[in-house]
Amino acid sequence: MSFGRILVLATNVFREVVRDRILYIIGLYALILAVAIWLLPQLAATTEDKIFLDLGLAAMSLLGLIVAIFVGTGLINKEIEKRTVLVLIAKPISRGEFIAGKHLGLSAVLGVLIAAMTAIYLAFLQLGNISYPLGSIVLAALFLFLQLSLITAVAIAFGVFTSSILATLLSFGVYLMGNFTQDLVKLGRLSESVNIQRMTQGLYLFLPDLSRLDLKNLAVYGADILPNPLILIANAGYGVVYTGLLLAIAILIFSRRQF
């Protein structure tokens, strides 16, 4: 693989996604926070600070998820449907470079979105005189980026072999189940059926454990107490490795497709 060609593809994806006015999401996020900071004191006079902290991170995660899935599933599928993929693969670009460039470009967009939304979030916290753990919030934002990068890889992997609609539904399904894989294992242990225990254990091993990349509760309720650095590094490494495996699967499937 040539990193130069991947970078060119990633730059084109970044420009294309930004041109589609995807960054308007930043304005939507600011509007959500503005309404929340005005409305919450009237609805929850004693707990509005915690609610606002939680709402800001939850909205950031939801908006990023929408971009990762809806744009990610269409990155490859749109090229296939418009037959522009024939032009691209006819050039000296390998299919692996094509997939990697698409993922890197959308990940860059997500990085810009998260950075911008985090800055807006911190600005509103300052304006509202709300105390907040800066280190925990920044760490939660970084791990949110890793989580969304992983989900982008999921969306691309589904998008290379199925329709955009089905790929979107499957990606949302993986996201929902990935946040509850540890609960699935606990539920299986409560069952007396060996088959159910094996099934839940299999799902845990197969599906991404997205809870390892979710630090929102830490930022809201954990104050400035940060987890063990070794645990953070292990969880970050898990996200990177899982993303790499998903991209490898996407490349394998895409390389076998005939156009």
Side-chain angles (χ1 to χ4, degrees), residues 206-223:
F206 176 74
L207 292 169
D209 184 3
L210 297 178
S211 63
R212 298 178 65 170
L213 304 175
D214 186 356
L215 300 183
K216 290 193 294 293
N217 287 337
L218 174 71
V220 177
Y221 304 106

Side-chain angles (χ1 to χ4, degrees), residues 24-40:
Y24 282 3
I25 286 179
I26 296 173
L28 175 61
Y29 180 72
L31 180 61
I32 291 171
L33 294 189
V35 171
I37 206 166
W38 171 74
L39 195 59
L40 284 176

Side-chain angles (χ1 to χ4, degrees), residues 3-4 29 42 62 68 73 90 105 127 137 140 150 153 159 165 172 176 200 230 241 256:
F3 183 73
Y29 180 72
Q42 304 175 46
L62 178 61
T73 52
L127 290 172
I137 288 175
L150 191 156
I165 295 176
F172 270 114
L176 292 174
T200 54
L230 293 178
V241 170
R256 293 175 179 273

